[in-house]
């Protein structure tokens, strides 16, 4: 179907690329906060249960599907059954939507890396952040476009294009730097953080176990959601990356390495973040709860952390720069991994040159990202992310389990994996994929649906939620069916 099959240069290149996709902004700003909110140290129990009962089994499923089919998601699902090609397109398109706003956050990181040179936010990081974004404070007023954000977007999309257009051999070279580098920087930042006064208060706040939370169903749901988002599963990335593996490649072992490396990085990031949060609380004479929501999401990265950096007694700029370089290098492999499934799907189906397909997709991505560079961007970003992360990801995971587990012979994948892997998987894996994972996903989906209906997200007007949440999701399905329907000039067999 494709003239020349692409391959990873080595097993190391593949594992690094997959770890690079999994480890991203989500590890640095999502895990520490979810962990602290959901019982601190006690959260590690549901987290590891979720990792072993859903994360790793689905990782094995996606890797084995990609490796077995040797094609990007649409063609892989076509191999399962012709009528399922649309599911593959849906899976390939969904991370592209995430990329459109993920790259915006990376553009902010890029600007902040430069601002770190002279600690431009001064002592008013919050005010500075909102001015930088030209924030209108509401999704309903677009306001003006932030020029620094656009420049950042240009740089990041250009990097994504330059990394992807030559194919996976270049990805292999890039990840050999962009995976170890931020990990080393994170360790440096953690060591610095832990030696600051007040750091231990932060750490004990992060890790003090509150076992009573283990009885709360929401904590378990948060653990599963975190594992899904963080491992980059249910997004076609692992299917696509595994399709570039050579015939004789270990799957199970790789799935464990990728998943545990991702979990380990999240856990480490908790120390980095909470040591600095403890320091900030102490310097400002506040308790950690008084710092409030500032320790989650963009606020952590663009308000709390810069504030703490400015307070460092020595080498403040240096630590600022390495923090944002770490975020950029953590994020870049996640960003380009979100584009690759769509590019690979298009080149598989239409025999388009990789460079041309990549250029087209990156250009469209850049233009769509501009929506988030407006004064309302921060709010739209939050809304789209809320719906995609809560519904898109979970629905796709569920579709994968149903189609591959129930409407196809699941044992095909188990047998395929066992042929080339050191660690053999047994029938327990079928049980997890067929029963446990779908059941959990149905519960997560129902709870999320119920909560969103009874309590509209942040009380935004309905039209805002339809435009930012329901429309992108419905649009994805329509586009997926459309892409299935248009046939290449010369129809070929998969
Ligand atoms: N796993 C990435 C992170 O933790 O930042 C985020 C991500 C990457 C989500 C790729 C979804 C995806 F398709």
């Amino acid at each position: 179907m494709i003239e020349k099959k692409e391959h990873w240069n080595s097993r190391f290149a593949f594992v690094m690329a997959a770890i690079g996709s999994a480890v991203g902004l989500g590890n640095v700003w999502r895990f520490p906060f979810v962990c602290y909110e959901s019982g601190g140290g006690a959260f590690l129990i549901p987290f590891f249960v979720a990792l072993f009962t859903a994360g790793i089994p689905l990782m094995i499923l996606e890797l084995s599907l990609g490796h077995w089919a040797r094609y990007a998601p649409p063609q892989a699902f076509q191999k399962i059954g012709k009528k399922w090609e649309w599911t593959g397109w849906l899976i390939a398109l969904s991370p592209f939507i995430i990329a459109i706003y993920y790259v915006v956050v990376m553009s902010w990181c890029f600007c902040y890396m430069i601002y770190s040179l002279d600690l431009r936010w001064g002592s008013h990081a919050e005010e500075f952040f909102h001015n930088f974004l030209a924030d209108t404070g509401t999704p309903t007023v677009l306001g003006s476009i932030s020029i620094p954000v656009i420049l950042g977007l240009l740089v990041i999309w250009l990097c994504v294009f330059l990394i992807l257009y030559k194919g996976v051999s270049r990805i292999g070279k890039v990840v050999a730097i962009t995976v170890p580098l931020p990990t080393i920087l994170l360790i440096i930042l953690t060591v610095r953080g832990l030696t600051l006064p007040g750091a231990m208060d932060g750490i004990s706040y992060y890790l003090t176990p509150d076992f009573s939370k283990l009885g709360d169903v929401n904590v378990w749901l948060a653990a599963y959601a975190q594992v899904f988002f963080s491992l980059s599963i249910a997004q076609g990335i692992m299917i696509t990356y595994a399709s570039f593996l050579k015939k004789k490649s270990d799957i199970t072992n790789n799935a464990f390495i990728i998943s545990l490396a991702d979990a380990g990085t999240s856990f480490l990031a908790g120390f980095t973040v909470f040591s600095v949060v403890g320091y900030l609380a102490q310097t400002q004479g506040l308790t950690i709860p008084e710092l409030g929501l500032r320790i989650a999401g963009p606020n952590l990265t663009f308000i709390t952390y810069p504030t703490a950096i400015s307070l460092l007694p020595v080498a403040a700029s240096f630590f600022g720069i390495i923090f944002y370089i770490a975020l950029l290098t953590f994020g870049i492999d996640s960003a380009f991994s979100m584009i690759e499934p769509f590019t690979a799907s298009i080149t598989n189906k239409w025999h388009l040159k990789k460079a041309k397909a990549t250029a087209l997709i990156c250009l469209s991505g850049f233009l769509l990202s501009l929506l988030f560079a407006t004064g309302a961007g921060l709010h739209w970003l939050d809304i789209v992310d809320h719906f995609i992360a809560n519904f898109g990801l979970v629905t796709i995971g569920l579709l994968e389990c149903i189609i591959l587990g129930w409407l196809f012979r699941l044992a095909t994948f188990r047998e395929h994996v066992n042929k080339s892997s050191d660690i053999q998987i047994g029938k327990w894996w079928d049980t997890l994929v067929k029963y446990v994972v779908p059941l959990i996903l149905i519960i997560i989906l129902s709870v999320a649906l119920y909560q969103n209906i009874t309590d509209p997200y942040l009380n935004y007007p309905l039209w805002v939620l339809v435009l930012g949440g329901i429309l992108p999701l419905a649009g994805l399905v329509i586009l997926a069916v459309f892409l299935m329907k248009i046939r290449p000039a010369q129809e070929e067999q998969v």
Side-chain angles (χ1 to χ4, degrees):
M1 210 177 168
I2 355 175
E3 291 76 22
K4 202 166 133 255
K5 188 89 191 105
E6 284 190 76
H7 285 301
W8 296 106
N9 292 340
S10 61
R11 175 180 178 179
F12 177 77
F14 162 72
V15 172
M16 280 293 161
I19 294 178
S21 170
V23 178
L25 303 177
N27 297 60
V28 181
W29 78 28
R30 206 165 183 277
F31 177 84
F33 184 68
V34 175
C35 183
Y36 136 76
E37 254 194 339
S38 314
F43 179 70
L44 294 177
I45 298 171
F47 180 76
F48 277 99
V49 170
L51 190 70
F52 283 97
T53 56
I56 296 177
L58 267 194
M59 177 72 80
I60 295 175
L61 180 69
E62 289 206 349
L63 292 181
S64 61
L65 171 64
H67 189 237
W68 169 82
R70 312 183 65 74
Y71 285 116
Q75 292 76 24
F77 273 86
Q78 208 181 354
K79 219 172 151 174
I80 300 292
K82 271 206 174 327
K83 60 174 177 296
W84 298 121
E85 186 189 333
W86 71 272
T87 319
W89 282 109
L90 181 68
I91 295 176
L93 278 167
S94 156
F96 175 64
I97 303 286
I98 301 186
I100 291 166
Y101 63 84
Y102 198 85
V103 163
V104 177
V105 182
M106 289 185 59
S107 155
W108 301 347
C109 289
F110 179 77
C111 297
Y112 268 67
M113 177 185 72
I114 295 170
Y115 296 155
S116 296
L117 286 170
D118 55 0
L119 303 174
R120 200 160 308 170
W121 49 83
S123 51
H124 300 98
E126 183 159 8
E127 210 183 312
F128 181 86
F129 182 51
H130 293 290
N131 287 340
F132 157 69
L133 296 179
D135 185 16
T136 57
T138 162
T140 55
V141 182
L142 281 187
S144 55
I145 284 202
S146 164
I147 303 292
V149 176
I150 294 187
L151 294 179
L153 281 174
L154 265 174
V155 173
I156 308 289
W157 277 111
L158 194 66
C159 288
V160 170
F161 169 74
L162 291 175
I163 295 168
L164 287 183
Y165 88 101
K166 277 262 170 125
V168 291
S169 54
R170 178 163 294 179
I171 297 184
K173 288 184 191 127
V174 170
V175 292
I177 301 166
T178 54
V179 174
L181 176 73
T183 313
I184 295 168
L185 296 182
L186 199 66
I187 294 171
I188 297 176
L189 288 163
T190 312
V191 171
R192 172 73 273 221
L194 289 175
T195 49
L196 288 168
M200 285 311 141
D201 297 341
I203 301 301
S204 75
Y205 196 69
Y206 167 45
L207 288 179
T208 303
D210 175 0
F211 288 106
S212 70
K213 290 253 184 181
L214 294 185
D216 179 353
V217 65
N218 281 314
V219 166
W220 288 85
L221 297 184
Y224 279 91
Q226 174 60 23
V227 162
F228 266 72
F229 182 83
S230 190
L231 290 186
S232 305
I233 43 179
Q235 296 295 299
I237 292 164
M238 298 303 162
I239 300 174
T240 312
Y241 275 7
S243 76
F244 302 131
L245 276 170
K246 299 219 169 99
K247 244 196 170 112
K248 196 113 194 67
S249 297
D250 193 302
I251 300 291
T252 327
N253 220 334
N254 286 345
F256 275 94
I257 296 173
I258 299 162
S259 310
L260 293 176
D262 180 65
T265 312
S266 291
F267 190 55
L268 172 66
F271 287 90
T272 327
V273 166
F274 276 91
S275 57
V276 168
V277 166
Y279 169 66
L280 185 64
Q282 196 184 77
T283 10
Q284 299 200 333
L286 298 169
T287 63
I288 294 176
E290 279 166 357
L291 290 173
L293 276 178
R294 303 270 157 85
I295 45 182
N299 283 348
L300 165 77
T301 317
F302 301 102
I303 299 174
T304 311
Y305 216 91
T307 309
I309 285 169
S310 299
L311 294 169
L312 289 179
V314 278
S317 275
F318 169 76
F319 286 106
I321 292 168
I322 65 169
F323 176 66
Y324 291 107
I325 292 181
L327 285 177
L328 279 170
T329 40
F330 267 139
I332 193 77
D333 339 85
S334 301
F336 65 68
S337 76
M338 295 173 194
I339 307 296
E340 185 58 23
F342 193 27
T343 322
S345 306
I346 287 184
T347 48
N348 275 192
K349 184 158 178 172
W350 284 284
H351 305 279
L352 217 60
K353 284 245 168 346
K354 186 120 191 182
K356 207 165 170 188
T358 311
L360 261 166
I361 294 173
C362 288
L363 186 66
S364 338
F366 169 70
L367 294 175
L368 289 166
S369 296
L370 292 179
L371 287 172
F372 299 101
T374 63
L378 175 66
H379 310 281
W380 285 106
L381 193 152
D382 184 50
I383 296 166
V384 178
D385 179 57
H386 171 79
F387 282 93
I388 295 271
N390 276 307
F391 296 102
L393 230 85
V394 181
T395 311
I396 288 175
L398 190 58
L399 273 173
E400 284 182 354
C401 292
I402 293 173
I403 296 174
L404 303 175
W406 289 89
L407 307 175
F408 191 72
R409 192 176 162 270
L410 188 63
T412 309
F413 300 114
R414 178 162 41 80
E415 288 155 11
H416 177 79
V417 166
N418 284 345
K419 255 191 266 161
S420 57
S421 302
D422 288 343
I423 306 173
Q424 302 287 298
I425 46 171
K427 291 231 167 75
W428 55 265
W429 178 75
D430 298 34
T431 312
L432 289 175
V433 173
K434 278 181 87 161
Y435 304 99
V436 179
V437 182
L439 187 73
I440 292 160
L441 294 182
I442 289 174
I443 298 175
I444 296 185
L445 211 54
S446 317
V447 171
L449 205 63
Y450 174 77
Q451 283 175 349
N452 275 274
I453 291 172
T454 50
D455 185 12
Y457 186 54
L458 296 181
N459 274 324
Y460 283 133
L462 188 64
W463 70 267
V464 168
L465 299 180
V466 169
L467 203 64
I470 297 164
L471 220 63
L473 291 175
L476 277 183
V477 178
I478 294 168
L479 197 57
V481 174
F482 175 74
L483 287 168
M484 169 170 109
K485 294 274 179 218
I486 27 175
R487 291 276 143 222
Q490 281 175 324
E491 184 74 309
E492 282 185 52
Q493 291 292 310
V494 176

